[in-house]
Structures are given as C-alpha cells and as structure tokens.
Amino acid sequence: MMSIALAEAPVFPALAPPLTLRLRQETRDLHDRIEANARFARLMAPDLTMAEYRRLVARLHGHHGPLETALDAVSHRLPACLVLHRRLTRRAALAADLRALGFAPDDIAALPRCEAHAIRSVEQALGALYVLEGSTLGGQLIARHLNAALGIGPATGAAHVVPHGAETGTLWRDFRLALDAGAEAAQFDPDAVIAASRHAFDVLDRWVAGA
C-alpha cells in the first residue's frame, strides 16, 4: 500500500505580547509596593489630616519637579504624538497646591528635590512616563475623598490630583497606543523601557517614604 506523507503544518513564531501588557505584568510587584507605602495609603484614610496631606504634597513636588524637567530635556527625542506639553503639568500644579496649602515661596524653594532620575535615553523617558501617566488614573476618586475629608479641591490644594482633567482617559489611551506601536516597530528596546519603569517606581516609592 502506498503511503501518503502528510504535509507538516507551518510553524509561525509566537507573537510577542504588547509592551503595555508586559509593563503591567512586570511592574506589578512595584505597583503593589507603592500602594502599600504608608504615606500613599494614608491619602485615602478617612481620618487623613491636613498635616499629613501637606507633607505628601511637598514630597511629590520634590519628586515630580526634577523628573518633569529631565523629561523636558529629552522631549525632542520622543514621538510628537505624546504631546508632552499636555502631560508634564504636575510640577506647576504641585507648586500652586503648596501655595494654596500655606507654603511661602521661600519654603517651596527650600524643599528637598529628588535627583535620582537620570533620563538620558528614549527608553528611560518612556519608562518614567509610564509611571507618571498611570498615576493619574485614580485621580477622580482621590479628589472626591480629599474634598470629603479635608474640604479641598483644585483651587485649594488638590490641583495636581487630576492633572489632565477631562483628558485623562484620552491621554492614557494615546500613551498606551504609542508605546505598543513603537515597540512593534522596533523604535526602542522594550526590555529597557520595562527596566526604566521599574526604576521609576522604585525611586517614587523610596522618595515618598523618606523623611
């Protein structure tokens, strides 16, 4: 009996998961660590005090200001579709919040600044932006809590909480699309973006937990 050899099914390489999925999965431990950070955890406490909130805003000002300045310096190397001028708004909002919370200009200028962010590559910038942009997503919930617990809103000390306003969802979606498209087109190294994001999470966590 003549046997007929069956043609082998073609083997296709497995598709790499989208970069944003990898980022979510491979930074989960650090994201959880930040949520457990005592100062961030207190932000949603029903007995949050104004003194606690003022200290947190001061720490965030010391972190976000230098980071946004570093990102500004490499903005010309990033995709224009990221429209960074619409994203890098928290240093100004935090400074306004501190003034509304009773800090004098000299007090603000004297606050410690975090200099742990060295943004020298596209990958480092995208990794840091992933942390910054992701942190805007719970802003509406936090804003409602701050209004209920402390009686403050955007004009009285909480402008940085929802820095993108009604554009929050759109800017997050556009950022994720840009990350995935850039990684698929090999415009940057996805592994380096993930490493940079992990570094940015770690720096934020350690800075906010500091004295």
Side-chain angles (χ1 to χ4, degrees):
M1 180 182 296
M2 182 174 63
S3 63
I4 300 176
L6 296 177
E8 292 186 1
V11 178
F12 298 102
L15 294 176
L19 175 55
T20 51
L21 175 59
R22 287 189 60 199
L23 277 162
R24 186 167 69 249
Q25 293 172 338
E26 298 181 38
T27 62
R28 172 62 64 187
D29 59 323
L30 292 167
H31 184 272
D32 291 346
R33 196 177 89 191
I34 280 187
E35 287 195 342
N37 182 302
R39 280 188 170 154
F40 280 129
R42 285 292 301 162
L43 183 59
M44 293 299 291
D47 59 343
L48 173 71
T49 68
M50 185 63 78
E52 287 176 309
Y53 180 67
R54 292 175 84 252
R55 284 194 294 270
L56 177 59
V57 175
R59 293 303 285 179
L60 290 175
H61 175 269
H63 175 273
H64 289 350
L67 178 53
E68 287 195 357
T69 298
L71 287 167
D72 263 341
V74 298
S75 60
H76 62 286
R77 300 173 58 187
L78 298 176
C81 64
L82 292 181
V83 286
L84 282 192
H85 70 278
R86 290 163 60 192
R87 299 180 185 276
L88 303 182
T89 59
R90 264 180 283 190
R91 56 188 153 174
L94 283 160
D97 286 343
L98 288 172
R99 291 192 294 271
L101 292 169
F103 284 76
D106 288 346
D107 296 332
I108 297 173
L111 288 172
R113 291 170 57 85
C114 177
E115 305 295 351
H117 292 286
I119 308 296
R120 301 189 182 93
S121 69
V122 169
E123 289 84 356
Q124 289 172 333
L126 293 175
L129 278 169
Y130 177 78
V131 175
L132 285 180
E133 291 299 292
S135 69
T136 67
L137 299 179
Q140 292 288 355
L141 179 63
I142 296 170
R144 287 194 293 271
H145 174 69
L146 290 175
N147 184 260
L150 300 177
I152 59 175
T156 52
H160 77 280
V161 176
V162 190
H164 303 333
E167 291 188 304
T168 299
T170 299
L171 287 176
W172 175 242
R173 181 202 64 201
D174 291 349
F175 179 67
R176 293 175 66 251
L177 289 173
L179 275 182
D180 287 339
E184 187 175 353
Q187 295 174 356
F188 46 77
D189 178 2
D191 290 336
V193 174
I194 292 169
S197 181
R198 289 186 61 83
H199 174 71
F201 269 119
D202 183 64
V203 169
L204 175 59
D205 179 53
R206 292 176 183 276
W207 177 258
V208 169

